[in-house]
Amino acid sequence: MNTSLTKTNYPALYTLITVFFFWGFIAAGNSIFIPFCKNYFSLDQFQSQLIDFAFYTAYYLGALLLFAFGAFSGSDLVSKWGYKRSIVYGLLFSALGAGAMILAVQANVYAGMLVGLFIVALGFSLQQTAANPFAILLGDPKTGASRVNLGGGINSFGTTIGPLIVAFALFGTTASVSDEQIKSLGLDKVILLYIGVGILFLVAAALFFFSKKVPDGISNEPIEKANKALTTLVIMTGLLAICFAPVFSSYKSEEALKIAALHEEVASLKTQTSLEAVSYESQLIQLNSQIEVLKHPLEMQRMYWLSAALLVIVAGLLYANKSAQKNSEGWGAMQYPQLVLGMLAIFTYVGVEVAVGSNLGELLSLKEFGGLQSSEIAPYISMYWGSLMIGRWAGAIAVFDLRGIKKAIALVVVPLVAFAIILTVNTLADKDMTPLYYYVFCVFIQIIAFFICKDKPARTLTIFGLMGIIAMLIGLTTDGMVAIYAFLAGGLACSIMWPAIFSLSVIGLGKYTAQGSAFLVMMILGGGIIPPLQGKLSDIIGIHNSYIIPVICFVYLTLFAVLVKGILKKQGINVDEIEAEGSH
């Protein structure tokens, strides 16, 4: 593999960054698809969050399978294929997933849609494994971070417009569709959306395959063995399956069927016009009481199993860390505590980033949060994911080596330009953005935070972690637009965390750096575990109170920043000299 390039291969780079757009477009679009499916298929909040479960679990399983293949064969499959072919295969796999989605939508089968999204994300997992190192290969390694950050910026633009396009596919140009009317909507436009997405996957694959300007990117670098790490990850995967199985089966249990029958009686009762008011209220109270008696112990049982799944991840990684400290042989990159704690940090970061956005639609349906219909939430979802774009664009300024007053001006102007783009894109989509104009004050708070951080990853993670904690606590203790702004600001807090966590986790790993990076990518799994956990908690204590989960996540992320600083100091590494890099 030729890494001596000094001139950037722009045609190849521009082709490559299209895949970054796809990742953001589909991931953020899921935040609109979740409340739609909840109403269309009459799901509870946990069941609707299975969209995230299917999508992000696929990232984990894809990365784990690649790692397992490398461990058994002694060669990295992506390096063997080359980055170019790996991305082509990933795009073709995602196109296959789009085809599965089309069939599932035609059949009106929710489980089939989950399978389709799972296959799409499996393709994304292969693409993401190849895309970041490929971006570095396409020019001078010293400017590799700038190309990765460019991809991150395009990814964030995809997250901004994804909710708008998915909302159009689901609801058309109608100003408002009530949640009760969703069941009567046709899904023809969703089929058209995934036909379009599938075609784009195929076109992008063809561009890569037939382009002579895109290098193969084949590498013959040796694989570092980590058999104990692989065994631990496989056992954790098995335990996760054991934890989720009873939750899924409980929806077909005798109690669940009785609850469903009682809900049908309630719905039937509401359609009867001949009942007297007193009789109607009496019967309604009685039915709801019966539902609650059956529902509470069943929901608590599900919550215990989901909590056990979270415990599997935390305990498994901490066990790996402790065991590797006693005997590092067979643990590979996991012998480094900064990497293991960083894996848990990436798990938590992706989990909280996705959970805040994916549960936002249900929150906005509450009367005290505007009582919005699912067809009306797109501007808020777009602003949430757009908040990540605001932060990432600001974070990319460091790449351009601006200094003094030029850098100060850029740190102010770039976030405001990104904010203006979000408003403009939504306005062009005929969305009313007037309720979100004052969100610019949250952007100014983030700008101040950037000045304080001074591009130091440990300090950045600490400040933005505290920003996330404060934002979530304000959201929990208030309602209305103040709380909405606070929850949206969770996107601003998350925006710059990936490169900070990534840099702090892989520093000092030496020959295990590539392997450590692969372990970190696996922990995108957090997006498949934490959102359903919050969804089930909301089924028990309400969606507003369930945002205590993001508070806990931000607390750990802040704690990680403090702990890793001490760990690296013991290893003789000065964290203030580390530059944040990497893209999510």
Side-chain angles (χ1 to χ4, degrees):
M1 179 174 65
N2 180 16
T3 58
S4 61
L5 293 171
T6 56
K7 187 176 180 181
T8 300
N9 184 340
Y10 286 107
L13 179 62
Y14 296 149
T15 305
L16 175 64
I17 60 177
T18 59
V19 301
F20 284 80
F21 176 84
F22 287 140
W23 305 338
F25 176 87
I26 299 294
N30 287 344
S31 296
I32 297 291
F33 207 49
I34 285 168
F36 174 86
C37 287
K38 179 179 181 180
N39 290 289
Y40 190 85
F41 293 104
S42 299
L43 309 173
D44 65 20
Q45 190 63 10
F46 165 77
Q47 288 173 303
S48 71
Q49 294 295 320
L50 291 179
I51 288 173
D52 283 334
F53 173 80
F55 191 77
Y56 291 98
T57 302
Y59 268 96
Y60 167 70
L61 290 176
L64 181 59
L65 287 171
L66 287 172
F67 176 61
F69 179 88
F72 288 117
S73 68
S75 64
D76 179 28
L77 191 59
V78 171
S79 297
K80 185 178 179 180
W81 283 342
Y83 297 137
K84 178 179 177 177
R85 283 175 62 195
S86 297
I87 291 173
V88 170
Y89 294 155
L91 286 164
L92 292 176
F93 216 86
S94 293
L96 182 67
M101 272 293 285
I102 292 166
L103 293 175
V105 172
Q106 285 179 325
N108 249 17
V109 178
Y110 181 59
M113 295 181 190
L114 297 180
V115 171
L117 279 172
F118 180 85
I119 298 172
V120 168
L122 268 181
F124 284 0
S125 177
L126 181 54
Q127 294 164 39
Q128 186 148 337
T129 302
N132 282 329
F134 199 21
I136 294 171
L137 170 68
L138 298 176
D140 187 345
K142 293 179 181 179
T143 59
S146 66
R147 293 187 290 280
V148 173
N149 277 310
L150 175 62
I154 298 300
N155 172 277
S156 295
F157 183 66
T159 65
T160 302
I161 68 170
L164 301 175
I165 295 176
V166 172
F168 174 74
L170 294 174
F171 307 111
T173 56
T174 308
S176 178
V177 177
S178 71
D179 288 346
E180 289 75 19
Q181 292 174 313
I182 283 178
K183 285 181 177 293
S184 63
L185 290 177
L187 296 180
D188 297 348
K189 288 183 179 176
V190 178
I191 294 173
L192 290 175
L193 172 67
Y194 273 92
I195 288 174
V197 168
I199 291 172
L200 287 173
F201 286 144
L202 294 174
V203 169
L207 282 172
F208 269 94
F209 185 76
F210 292 109
S211 175
K212 294 180 180 179
K213 294 183 178 180
V214 178
D216 291 331
I218 295 174
S219 170
N220 296 311
E221 294 178 7
I223 291 289
E224 299 297 337
K225 292 185 177 181
N227 294 332
K228 290 180 181 177
L230 176 60
T231 302
T232 301
L233 289 168
V234 170
I235 291 172
M236 285 168 57
T237 305
L239 291 174
L240 285 174
I242 291 171
C243 290
F244 272 93
V247 180
F248 294 150
S249 63
S250 72
Y251 282 91
K252 296 294 183 182
S253 66
E254 185 178 342
E255 291 86 352
L257 295 175
K258 285 181 181 178
I259 291 170
L262 288 168
H263 276 299
E264 288 182 8
E265 285 188 49
V266 171
S268 176
L269 183 67
K270 290 179 178 179
T271 62
Q272 296 179 29
T273 57
S274 58
L275 288 173
E276 294 181 4
V278 174
S279 176
Y280 171 80
E281 290 293 335
S282 175
Q283 290 186 48
L284 192 62
I285 291 171
Q286 187 178 7
L287 287 170
N288 284 329
S289 177
Q290 291 177 42
I291 290 172
E292 190 57 33
V293 168
L294 289 169
K295 186 178 179 181
H296 184 72
L298 185 61
E299 295 288 34
M300 291 304 297
Q301 182 185 5
R302 291 166 177 166
M303 191 66 195
Y304 292 146
W305 280 112
L306 291 172
S307 300
L310 182 63
L311 184 62
V312 165
I313 300 296
V314 176
L317 291 177
L318 293 180
Y319 163 79
N321 183 34
K322 187 174 181 180
S323 298
Q325 296 306 304
K326 294 179 181 177
N327 181 6
S328 63
E329 185 180 352
W331 285 105
M334 282 194 186
Q335 66 188 269
Y336 294 92
Q338 65 264 37
L339 186 276
V340 177
L341 294 179
M343 289 171 68
L344 188 54
I346 288 288
F347 176 88
T348 306
Y349 152 71
V350 178
V352 70
E353 175 188 284
V354 176
V356 173
S358 294
N359 286 288
L360 196 58
E362 181 67 11
L363 184 79
L364 293 171
S365 70
L366 299 180
K367 186 177 179 181
E368 58 269 33
F369 288 88
L372 301 180
Q373 304 296 325
S374 297
S375 60
E376 299 171 322
I377 66 171
Y380 297 89
I381 301 297
S382 177
M383 184 59 75
Y384 173 75
W385 289 103
S387 294
L388 279 92
M389 181 178 79
I390 293 169
R392 287 171 184 170
W393 283 18
I397 292 170
V399 175
F400 299 100
D401 199 29
L402 298 176
R403 300 186 184 279
I405 190 66
K406 290 182 179 179
K407 183 175 181 179
I409 292 172
L411 277 175
V412 175
V413 172
V414 170
L416 295 177
V417 168
F419 177 67
I421 288 173
I422 299 165
L423 292 178
T424 302
V425 168
N426 278 272
T427 302
L428 290 174
D430 204 25
K431 304 296 182 184
D432 179 17
M433 297 301 287
T434 51
L436 293 171
Y437 286 162
Y438 293 106
Y439 186 67
V440 71
F441 289 111
C442 296
V443 178
F444 276 117
I445 292 172
Q446 188 196 49
I447 290 170
I448 294 169
F450 270 113
F451 277 101
I452 299 171
C453 293
K454 297 181 179 178
D455 298 323
K456 301 182 188 304
R459 184 185 295 184
T460 297
L461 193 56
T462 303
I463 290 171
F464 277 78
L466 290 171
M467 181 177 166
I469 294 170
I470 294 168
M472 293 303 107
L473 288 175
I474 291 172
L476 271 171
T477 54
T478 60
D479 54 32
M481 288 308 298
V482 171
I484 291 172
Y485 277 20
F487 288 130
L488 291 177
L492 295 173
C494 287
S495 62
I496 202 66
M497 285 187 169
W498 175 279
I501 298 169
F502 209 96
S503 299
L504 291 168
S505 301
V506 300
I507 189 70
L509 266 58
K511 66 180 182 178
Y512 294 107
T513 300
Q515 186 183 91
S517 299
F519 286 153
L520 291 172
V521 170
M522 284 183 201
M523 289 299 103
I524 290 177
L525 172 67
I529 303 294
I530 293 176
L533 182 68
Q534 184 181 346
K536 181 47 63 190
L537 185 62
S538 80
D539 289 331
I540 298 171
I541 66 173
I543 188 65
H544 190 190
N545 291 330
S546 75
Y547 272 81
I548 189 66
I549 296 286
V551 174
I552 296 169
C553 291
F554 281 120
V555 167
Y556 173 72
L557 291 168
T558 308
L559 180 63
F560 168 73
V562 176
L563 290 176
V564 78
K565 191 171 184 178
I567 290 169
L568 293 175
K569 189 175 181 180
K570 288 181 181 178
Q571 296 175 8
I573 299 170
N574 183 358
V575 294
D576 291 334
E577 295 176 356
I578 304 170
E579 291 184 4
E581 58 183 50
S583 178
H584 168 43

